[in-house]
Amino acid sequence: ERAAVAVANIEAAEDIASPLSFAQSRREMEPNQPFLCCTSLGPHDGMFSTQSELLATGTLAAIQKQMIETTKMSALKGEITGSMMWYPIH
């Protein structure tokens, strides 16, 4: 979602019309949306954090990153399992 907000704001600032957008206005993040960061540090290492605390590191974070990647790609392909998992977020 943050990437979509960033792209919309860049397009609005540069006066570029995206074929998928109907408005050229700036967007804001929803105030209750937490900022979560999952960083890969290799195939078996990573870190998962919020703005203020580290939630997981090592293999657990790498597995979590792989789950996010797998389910998000599944949702983007229109597969029912991934779509159901990501529906409450988007």
Side-chain angles (χ1 to χ4, degrees), residues 10 14 18 28 33 55 62 76-77 81 83-84:
I10 290 169
E14 294 182 356
S18 169
E28 297 288 331
Q33 189 173 29
L55 302 175
L76 291 172
K77 291 176 185 175
T81 307
S83 298
M84 288 175 53

Side-chain angles (χ1 to χ4, degrees), residues 6-17:
V7 168
N9 290 340
I10 290 169
E11 288 175 347
E14 294 182 356
D15 198 27
I16 298 172

Side-chain angles (χ1 to χ4, degrees), residues 18-33:
S18 169
L20 301 176
S21 68
F22 298 104
Q24 291 255 342
S25 60
R26 294 180 60 87
R27 290 182 53 189
E28 297 288 331
M29 289 298 298
E30 295 178 26
N32 296 336
Q33 189 173 29

Side-chain angles (χ1 to χ4, degrees), residues 26-81:
R26 294 180 60 87
R27 290 182 53 189
E28 297 288 331
M29 289 298 298
E30 295 178 26
N32 296 336
Q33 189 173 29
F35 178 72
L36 301 172
C37 179
C38 191
T39 305
S40 175
L41 300 173
H44 305 291
D45 197 9
M47 60 177 255
F48 183 69
S49 64
T50 66
Q51 292 111 319
S52 60
E53 61 186 308
L54 187 60
L55 302 175
T57 60
T59 303
L60 180 61
I63 292 169
Q64 186 170 15
K65 181 206 153 283
Q66 186 62 45
M67 291 286 296
I68 292 168
E69 181 181 328
T70 301
T71 58
K72 186 61 179 177
M73 291 305 295
S74 171
L76 291 172
K77 291 176 185 175
E79 296 170 0
I80 190 75
T81 307

